[in-house]
Amino acid sequence: MTATETQPQRSGQGMNLKVLGPILALVVLVIVGAALNGNFLSAANITNVLSRSAFIGIIAVGMTFVITGGGLDLSVGSMAAFIAGLMILVMNAMLPMMGPGWPLVFVGMLTAMVAGTLAGFVNGFLITTMRIEAFIVTLGTMGIYRSLVTWLADGGTLSLDFGMRSVIRPIYFDGILGISWPIIVFALVAITGELVMRRAAFGRHAAAVGSNDQVARYSSVNVNRVRMLTYVFLGILVGVATIMYVPRLGSASPSTGVLWELEAIAAVIIGGTMLKGGFGRVWGTVIGVLILSLIDNILNLTDGVSPYLNGAIQGVIIILAVILQRDKKAES
Amino acid sequence: MKFTKITAAALAATLAMPAMAQDTKVIGVSIPAATHGWAGGMNFHAQQAVDRLEEVYPQLDFVLATASDPAKQVNDIEDMLATRNISALVVLPFESEPLTSPVKAVADSGAWVTVVDRGLAQPGIEDLYVAGDNPGFGKVSGEYMVSAMPDGGDIVVFRGIPTTIDNERVEGFQEAIEGSGINVLAMEHGNWNRDDSFTVMQDFLSKYDQIDAVWASDDDMAIGVLAAIEQSGRDDIQFVLGGAGMKEMVAKVRDGDPMIPADVTYPPSMIATAIEMTAVGLTSTAPVSGTFTIGSVLITPENAADFYYEDSPF
């Protein structure tokens, strides 16, 4: 049984690279960015990059739990677009009764939260109770939400009433002490997520379910309930992200949130969470999100690289980040 | 879904009374689904044109199909040919290459073919080609920039999704501003998308301390650009020129918004032009074959009212 004896040592050695990989990639990106453009480290640029990371970031924290629990959610981008459209429709409809003001903003927020919770519940119900593959369920709901928002918008764009837009704008653009609200909310969500993953029973249960649901079941973990909750939490976080998103441009269209699901999944994987489930790392996900948005930012700030190649560069860095953190011994 | 009922009724009538079928001609219309603003506008105008023409020409029937990808569009066209015996097809190809042979099969069956906006990969298949003028779109935009900035200046340019349409527009634009003293600081793809353009404009504002104007080249992109400028609080940018004729932007031009002094058309209603001309071709002796190019027009506060469609989603 020499194999079992050396096992803990192996993973112990691997952890260092696994932990350092994404951080190293982020540090390299920051150095490259600062070298290429003097404005890269300016407060305005950093605020911009962090604020725009917040949507994917908040969603990716929820996605970390879903993937850790052995699931996957492809519907989050379409779901965000649909919830944004719904939120705008509800606020526009209530405007004549309530007038533009904060009470109406709260109605909009409530709409987004309720819709997000329900959407997460539907995914979770179909996956756990109806026992359909997560990939299939969320592929289906992805198409459903995308069609629904196209239908709601009549193929065009749903726009928030102009008077209301100036009321709701501060949610994206203002903040406390120069730190904008999306950054604050993203930070709070990430810290809570990290604590739940590390310290709470729910985080351990999600990892157990993702690692081996039979063993988890014998250990008296309510597998279905844990899985269901990961999807509901993700739905709620999509609602939160949408609340941050709508104030930015005051509109939702069928092109809102396209490919967000893949960006969120990429961020989770770059951050060191295992795609097959069983191990998740929320702070890694946050770094993954920052890496993805910094690449975009740096490419926009520099000349010399054809914009046609942006996707290729992102792809290379995603693969590199994962190679950097791979447990080398796992191959053999 | 009045339209479906009409076609269903027509189908029932055709089955019941074969003798009458010879008098009724069916025009198939196949277009991409309403997945973005411009396509939404096109769907609206297609439906409007079909509704109007069904009243004007009792001897014409219409089948309208919208497809969300090229494969679905090929299926739609094959179904029209196989089950509806169409006399004419009006098609806005999702992509040129995959649609070429299915549309050729329609033409080979003897039906009339009208191609809209995006050409097919092989010349000579269509009887009528109705399209917007992409090099002209860029040219009109460039000429406006030159006239608005007689002393020259530094601009940034937003491009659409990388396609030949986008290339033709940008080439037309560059020809028009050549030698004018207008200096293009940078070009980046905003992908005809508000969110992408918002982030790209934020980055441009970080990168350059002085930007005199923006050619956003599309109204959705212009909205993202405007939001980024407003957030930055910068006042060096004098104006933003979009394009396509979105009704919100036309309203801004009409109301004299200093940031949006003009717009350049690329009308989604060109599908209506194509359907109308096809109907004329099938019902009269007026010749309609050939190429019909719809020019891009500069919308200014004086003529903005003519380009504002209240009911259209775009």
Side-chain angles (χ1 to χ4, degrees), chain B residues 146-260:
Chain B
V146 173
S147 72
M149 304 167 76
D151 304 324
D154 294 326
I155 65 166
V156 289
V157 170
F158 283 70
R159 308 187 56 157
I161 293 170
T163 48
T164 47
I165 294 175
D166 181 58
N167 291 342
E168 285 174 9
R169 291 180 178 183
V170 173
E171 279 161 25
F173 181 80
Q174 280 172 321
E175 276 169 32
I177 61 166
E178 217 171 69
S180 67
I182 291 179
N183 171 35
V184 177
L185 291 170
M187 285 194 192
E188 187 68 50
H189 290 272
N191 302 322
W192 292 318
N193 177 296
R194 295 178 183 202
D195 290 311
D196 291 357
S197 307
F198 176 81
T199 55
V200 169
M201 189 63 199
Q202 277 190 330
D203 291 345
F204 277 157
L205 288 166
S206 294
K207 192 175 172 187
Y208 301 107
D209 295 328
Q210 172 73 34
I211 299 171
D212 295 315
V214 180
W215 184 44
S217 83
D218 174 80
D219 289 334
D220 265 314
M221 295 205 284
I223 287 174
V225 167
L226 285 175
I229 294 173
E230 195 187 335
Q231 179 218 6
S232 72
R234 295 247 304 246
D235 53 9
D236 50 325
I237 298 108
Q238 296 156 24
F239 68 93
V240 177
L241 182 65
M246 180 190 289
K247 69 176 181 185
E248 287 84 2
M249 295 308 246
V250 175
K252 277 181 191 278
V253 174
R254 182 192 63 197
D255 301 339
D257 186 325
M259 283 302 276
I260 305 289

Side-chain angles (χ1 to χ4, degrees), chain A residues 37 39 45 48 52 150 154-157 169 172-173 245 248-249 251 254-255 297 300-303 307-308 310, chain B residues 34-37 40 159 162 167 188-189 193-195 198-200 202-203 206-209 223-224 227 230-231 313:
Chain A
N37 192 298
N39 283 328
N45 192 50
N48 286 346
R52 70 172 84 136
T150 308
D154 202 6
T157 303
R169 228 180 149 265
Y172 183 82
F173 292 101
Y245 173 81
R248 187 164 83 174
L249 295 171
S251 64
S255 63
N297 181 241
N300 284 342
L301 287 177
T302 46
D303 304 310
Y308 290 139
N310 283 12
Chain B
T35 49
H36 61 275
R159 308 187 56 157
N167 291 342
E188 187 68 50
H189 290 272
N193 177 296
R194 295 178 183 202
D195 290 311
F198 176 81
T199 55
V200 169
Q202 277 190 330
D203 291 345
S206 294
K207 192 175 172 187
Y208 301 107
D209 295 328
I223 287 174
E230 195 187 335
Q231 179 218 6

Side-chain angles (χ1 to χ4, degrees), chain B residues 271-306:
Chain B
I271 189 71
T273 313
I275 298 173
E276 299 249 3
M277 286 176 75
T278 307
V280 168
L282 281 196
T283 53
S284 77
T285 52
V288 293
S289 58
T291 299
F292 188 83
T293 307
I294 296 167
S296 280
V297 182
L298 188 71
I299 304 178
T300 57
E302 288 75 40
N303 66 2
D306 302 340

Side-chain angles (χ1 to χ4, degrees), chain B residues 85-126:
Chain B
N85 193 26
I86 50 173
S87 310
L89 173 71
V90 180
V91 57
L92 197 157
F94 215 106
E95 281 172 24
S96 304
E97 297 287 342
L99 265 305
T100 299
S101 50
V103 174
K104 186 163 189 302
V106 175
D108 290 346
S109 79
W112 177 276
V113 172
T114 301
V115 172
V116 190
D117 196 33
R118 278 164 235 178
L120 296 171
Q122 198 182 328
I125 296 173
E126 70 269 10

